[in-house]
Amino acid sequence: MSDDERNAEKKKKKKKHKDRDGERKSKKSSRRDIPAAAAATDDEEAVELLEQRMRAKHNGEKSSSRRKRYESDSDDDRKPAARSSRAIETVERMGSRRRHRARNDDEHADSKPAASDADIGSARHGNKTSLERTKSETRRINDGNGQMNGRDDVLEADTHVYYPNIEADAEVMAQINQDGAVKVDESGGIQAFVAETIEIDGDNVGIIKSDAEIEMEEKRKYSKWFLGAVVAIIVIVVAIAVPLTLKYGKGGTRVQLNIITQAPTDVPSMMPSVSPSSMPSSERFMAITKKLYPLSGEALYDQGSPQYLAAMWMADKDPVEMELENAGFEQRYIMALFYYAMDGSNWVEQYGWLSEESECYWFGIDGISPGCGSEESGGCIPRTDFKGSYDKVCRLALGRMNNLYGEFPSELSYLDEMRYVEIQFDYLYGTIPSSLGTNWTKLTTFLVGWNFLGGGFPDTFKDNVLLGTIFIDQNNFNGTFPEVFTTLKNLEWLDAENNEFRGTLPDTIGNLKNLRILNLNNNSLSGYIPDTWDGDNLIEDLQLSDNKLIGSLPPSLADTPFLKNLHVSRNELTGTIPVNYYNWDALEELYLDENNIGGELPQTQEPFYNGLQELSLHSNQFQGNFPVEWMESTFRIKVIELHRNQMTGTLSTPNICERLDPDRSYTRLLNLTADCDKMICDCCTACYINGELASGG
């Protein structure tokens, strides 16, 4: 193609574009009525929406309320009817305007280019299809909502009419086209549309939303929910993880924050007590900690420790507000310290503690149980020393089952006038501070049985010439048997039953001439029973059962004139009963069961038989005839246990069987057992055959 031909083609195209632009400009009008094409449609919803948009534009109205779904609109039933009425009026008004516009079009038909039949047919076919689709969709929506029934007669009008040369307000059409609610064709006309979702704003103006907008709103809503859920999960995880990390984390550096708060509560919870969250800074507290530092050391600055709580109480809570220069200041602090160390808030009896009264009158210091002091001074003794004159605590008797829980504070050793200590059937744990033995040189009674104390008994109690009674039974003491006990010359009663002492009993135990009761049952002692007893020993009750002792019974034990009870059951003893044992006329209880002791019992009347009340020889190697006649003559016997031996004879004599009568009281025989395949016993409470229980029991 030559250049001239190309230039001619370009000029032809430019002219064609100019002609098209002229047609478009001539089709516009300054009128602001609703386009006739909209009135020609049978979509009442579209007509109504356009009417409302035009009204809002001309009157300057703005929607202010939040949008809501047309489908979920649950107003009263009058709203659909009103909407239908307005739609009918709008259609009629639009029809009138369309007819008027048609007359004007006829008058100026000659001045406007006519469309070809093919263009009109194509447009009519497209417009018809769109209108039918709009009608179908509108009916489907209205039927679903139950709001537009009965309006088909209105929607039937002018369905197939097409008006290609409709003038529309440029601004309104631009807004409609921008909102995506109505499509505008190339000629400026309005294409049919389907309103899938309609919302109603605060001015009852319909807002058409596209599927893309709905989908975007749903995504934003779900995104908000998802983000909120993630934040909530993170908060929960942090709330759980941080406390667990602080409580159970290991290997980290412990950081202690000192922040000024109020004073601690008067009473603690289970040891250690809940303490203030910070270190106080009052001048009095600082002065108190400085004064007490030689006594308690760094524990005064350990928040939550009994020492810290006691110092806080002395500084801020003590009603007495004792001067630091008072000679009894340390003593009052130690008593408050003991209260916190033993969980005083949970004691059964706690009257007087941490009150305005003198500590000498607090429960356990001043009480009804034996101790020290007098009515005038309570549980204290008036003393004068280099610090001054004041009443010193001499007793600490909290009784039994008072629910004490904690460890002995070493500061108690400062109470050097201590005479009497009793804390039994409670929850003491830890060890006994060695300083107690060093300073409690005037202690006479130390009762801490039925607790959870462990370790060894302190050697610092050595040579205490006043200590006479020690109860440490039912604890967890361990180690070799404490020889410190053998140095206590005035020891009268030692009860160390049910502990974990091991090793041998020292021979020096026979040097304890004043010892009357020695109970070492249920330990792990081994070796021989010391044979160092003599007539000067005042021993009355010797209990060594449930150990690992070996050898024979010590003959020298028979020289003790006051022995009443000998219990050596469940050991590994051998040999026979020493002959001089039968000379005991004060013996009441003899328990030799479950050993390997043998021999025969004497057949002659011996003092040994006269005072017996309980005789247990079962599970040994005894043999020969049992001298039942010597048992008939005593009315004191209550227990005879002979089973699992090799003895023979008759036990069921009339006098013996009558003693089993339950109507008897003091003289009643409670327990009679024998090997019924070797001995005759028709009234035994338990018969054994071949070492097994056959009846009774």
Side-chain angles (χ1 to χ4, degrees), residues 631-632 634-635 637 651-670 672 682-684:
M631 298 295 169
E632 291 180 303
T634 176
F635 291 98
I637 191 71
L651 279 179
S652 56
T653 63
N655 289 337
I656 293 295
C657 292
E658 288 178 2
R659 298 282 298 279
L660 294 170
D661 187 354
D663 293 334
R664 291 176 177 266
S665 55
Y666 181 73
T667 60
R668 180 186 177 188
L669 182 61
L670 300 175
L672 178 64
D682 298 332
C683 58
C684 277

Side-chain angles (χ1 to χ4, degrees), residues 33-47:
D33 295 336
I34 299 176
T41 66
D42 60 352
D43 191 340
E44 295 177 344
E45 290 292 337
V47 172

Side-chain angles (χ1 to χ4, degrees), residues 408 421 423-425 432 445-458 461 467 469-478 480-482 484-485 488 491 493-501 518-523:
F408 272 119
V421 175
I423 306 173
Q424 297 196 89
F425 293 87
I432 299 175
T445 305
F446 188 60
L447 311 177
V448 291
W450 291 85
N451 280 285
F452 298 89
L453 296 169
F457 193 85
F461 284 91
L467 189 54
T469 304
I470 299 176
F471 285 5
I472 58 172
D473 55 306
Q474 305 291 333
N475 276 283
N476 298 318
F477 289 105
N478 51 48
T480 58
F481 182 80
V484 62
F485 293 143
L488 306 177
L491 185 62
W493 192 344
L494 174 59
D495 191 347
E497 180 181 13
N498 197 19
N499 279 285
E500 300 174 11
F501 289 123
L518 177 61
N519 184 356
L520 301 177
N521 289 337
N522 198 17
N523 279 277

Side-chain angles (χ1 to χ4, degrees), residues 224-257:
K224 291 180 181 178
W225 280 103
F226 178 76
L227 183 60
V230 171
V231 172
I233 293 173
I234 293 174
V235 171
I236 294 173
V237 171
V238 171
I240 296 175
V242 171
L244 293 177
T245 303
L246 294 177
K247 183 174 181 180
Y248 299 106
K250 296 182 179 179
T253 301
R254 181 179 180 181
V255 179
Q256 179 172 329
L257 299 179

Side-chain angles (χ1 to χ4, degrees), residues 330-361:
E330 288 87 348
Q331 175 175 279
R332 190 168 179 85
Y333 160 75
I334 292 172
M335 290 296 94
L337 166 60
F338 180 80
Y339 176 88
Y340 284 107
M342 295 295 173
D343 192 26
S345 63
N346 290 310
W347 293 354
V348 177
E349 294 289 347
Q350 53 175 289
Y351 63 83
W353 284 83
L354 303 186
S355 69
E356 69 280 359
E357 290 187 314
S358 167
E359 63 274 9
C360 292
Y361 294 94

Side-chain angles (χ1 to χ4, degrees), residues 129-367:
T129 304
S130 299
L131 292 176
E132 289 178 353
R133 185 184 303 111
T134 302
K135 179 179 178 181
S136 175
E137 290 293 331
T138 303
R139 286 180 178 177
R140 180 181 59 81
I141 295 173
N142 293 337
D143 291 343
N145 295 332
Q147 297 178 353
M148 304 292 291
N149 293 335
R151 297 171 53 191
D152 292 343
D153 54 341
V154 179
L155 298 176
E156 291 293 336
D158 297 329
T159 301
H160 303 289
V161 180
Y162 173 69
Y163 297 87
N165 300 322
I166 296 176
E167 294 182 359
D169 184 84
E171 295 182 3
V172 174
M173 296 306 296
Q175 180 178 358
I176 293 175
N177 189 39
Q178 180 180 1
D179 291 343
V182 179
K183 301 296 182 179
V184 181
D185 60 13
E186 294 181 355
S187 63
I190 303 174
Q191 294 183 1
F193 62 91
V194 178
E196 295 186 359
T197 302
I198 300 177
E199 293 186 355
I200 307 301
D201 64 7
D203 297 325
N204 292 326
V205 177
I207 305 299
I208 301 176
K209 300 177 68 176
S210 65
D211 291 341
E213 290 177 333
I214 297 173
E215 183 178 0
M216 183 61 66
E217 286 187 1
E218 292 293 333
K219 288 183 178 179
R220 284 197 294 266
K221 181 176 66 174
Y222 292 141
S223 298
K224 291 180 181 178
W225 280 103
F226 178 76
L227 183 60
V230 171
V231 172
I233 293 173
I234 293 174
V235 171
I236 294 173
V237 171
V238 171
I240 296 175
V242 171
L244 293 177
T245 303
L246 294 177
K247 183 174 181 180
Y248 299 106
K250 296 182 179 179
T253 301
R254 181 179 180 181
V255 179
Q256 179 172 329
L257 299 179
N258 294 332
I259 306 172
I260 299 174
T261 61
Q262 298 179 354
T265 56
D266 286 342
V267 293
S269 60
M270 295 303 284
M271 184 73 183
S273 303
V274 175
S275 62
S277 60
S278 65
M279 179 71 68
S281 61
S282 68
E283 294 182 1
R284 177 171 172 80
F285 178 82
M286 301 305 294
I288 288 175
T289 55
K290 182 177 180 180
K291 179 179 180 63
L292 298 176
Y293 188 84
L295 187 61
S296 296
E298 293 293 331
L300 289 166
Y301 305 103
D302 184 6
Q303 298 182 34
S305 69
Q307 291 82 359
Y308 173 85
L309 296 175
M312 286 285 291
W313 179 79
M314 293 288 290
D316 300 328
K317 296 291 186 179
D318 186 5
V320 175
E321 297 183 357
M322 184 178 290
E323 296 293 333
L324 275 66
E325 295 75 16
N326 192 305
F329 185 86
E330 288 87 348
Q331 175 175 279
R332 190 168 179 85
Y333 160 75
I334 292 172
M335 290 296 94
L337 166 60
F338 180 80
Y339 176 88
Y340 284 107
M342 295 295 173
D343 192 26
S345 63
N346 290 310
W347 293 354
V348 177
E349 294 289 347
Q350 53 175 289
Y351 63 83
W353 284 83
L354 303 186
S355 69
E356 69 280 359
E357 290 187 314
S358 167
E359 63 274 9
C360 292
Y361 294 94
W362 294 354
F363 171 77
I365 301 173
D366 175 28

